[in-house]
Amino acid sequence: QVQLVESGGGLVQAGGSLRLSCAASGLTFSTYTMGWFRQAPGKDREFVAAISRSGGRSTYADSVKGRFTISRDNAKNTVYLQMNSLNPEDTAVYYCAARVDSRDIATIPSNGAKYWGQGTQVTVSS
């Protein structure tokens, strides 16, 4: 059974930082492109960041570029999202996603993930 379990969310003041983790089990982690999405109340789910199987490639939404960093540890079956300079617009439920891919690319269409985590709440106060 595949599981993606996020952790690290919480309440932080504007300008602060959080580090999200997503621990994967039940899959061959190194064969999956991994990513993070988020969904704010009343809004559609949106792409945040993705990282290739090897960790050598990454992509970011324009809204988080320069503030967020995605990374992975294939030995620990874990993907991370370091979030700095947080602002209230970053408030959302953050979801981990996995997409099996034979290519070492950092792309996950929102309808292309095979597995999703349950989400972790991030709240940024002003």
Side-chain angles (χ1 to χ4, degrees), residues 3-20:
Q3 284 191 310
L4 302 178
V5 180
E6 301 99 333
S7 61
L11 174 64
V12 64
Q13 289 188 331
S17 299
L18 282 175
R19 187 193 195 204
L20 305 184

Side-chain angles (χ1 to χ4, degrees), residues 95-106:
Y95 297 92
C96 177
R99 181 191 189 200
V100 64
D101 206 312
S102 62
R103 302 162 296 175
D104 193 38
I105 62 172

Side-chain angles (χ1 to χ4, degrees), residues 13 57 73-74 76 101 124:
Q13 289 188 331
R57 294 181 173 86
D73 186 338
N74 285 350
K76 295 183 178 179
D101 206 312
V124 184

Side-chain angles (χ1 to χ4, degrees), residues 2-4 26-27 32 34 96-100 112-117:
V2 174
Q3 284 191 310
L4 302 178
L27 53 75
Y32 283 78
M34 299 299 296
C96 177
R99 181 191 189 200
V100 64
K114 185 172 184 180
Y115 301 110
W116 292 90

Side-chain angles (χ1 to χ4, degrees), residues 21-114:
S21 299
C22 171
S25 60
L27 53 75
T28 305
F29 186 72
S30 61
T31 64
Y32 283 78
T33 299
M34 299 299 296
W36 290 93
F37 290 76
R38 67 186 181 186
Q39 187 167 21
K43 295 187 177 181
D44 293 334
R45 183 173 60 197
E46 65 173 358
F47 169 78
V48 175
I51 189 166
S52 65
R53 301 187 312 171
S54 69
R57 294 181 173 86
S58 58
T59 58
Y60 298 90
D62 287 343
S63 58
V64 307
K65 204 170 292 184
R67 300 188 298 122
F68 291 12
T69 302
I70 189 170
S71 61
R72 66 190 293 163
D73 186 338
N74 285 350
K76 295 183 178 179
N77 287 2
T78 301
V79 61
Y80 306 96
L81 186 67
Q82 177 67 44
M83 306 186 295
N84 299 329
S85 302
L86 286 161
N87 59 62
E89 290 70 38
D90 296 316
T91 295
V93 178
Y94 283 71
Y95 297 92
C96 177
R99 181 191 189 200
V100 64
D101 206 312
S102 62
R103 302 162 296 175
D104 193 38
I105 62 172
T107 301
I108 300 184
S110 60
N111 61 354
K114 185 172 184 180

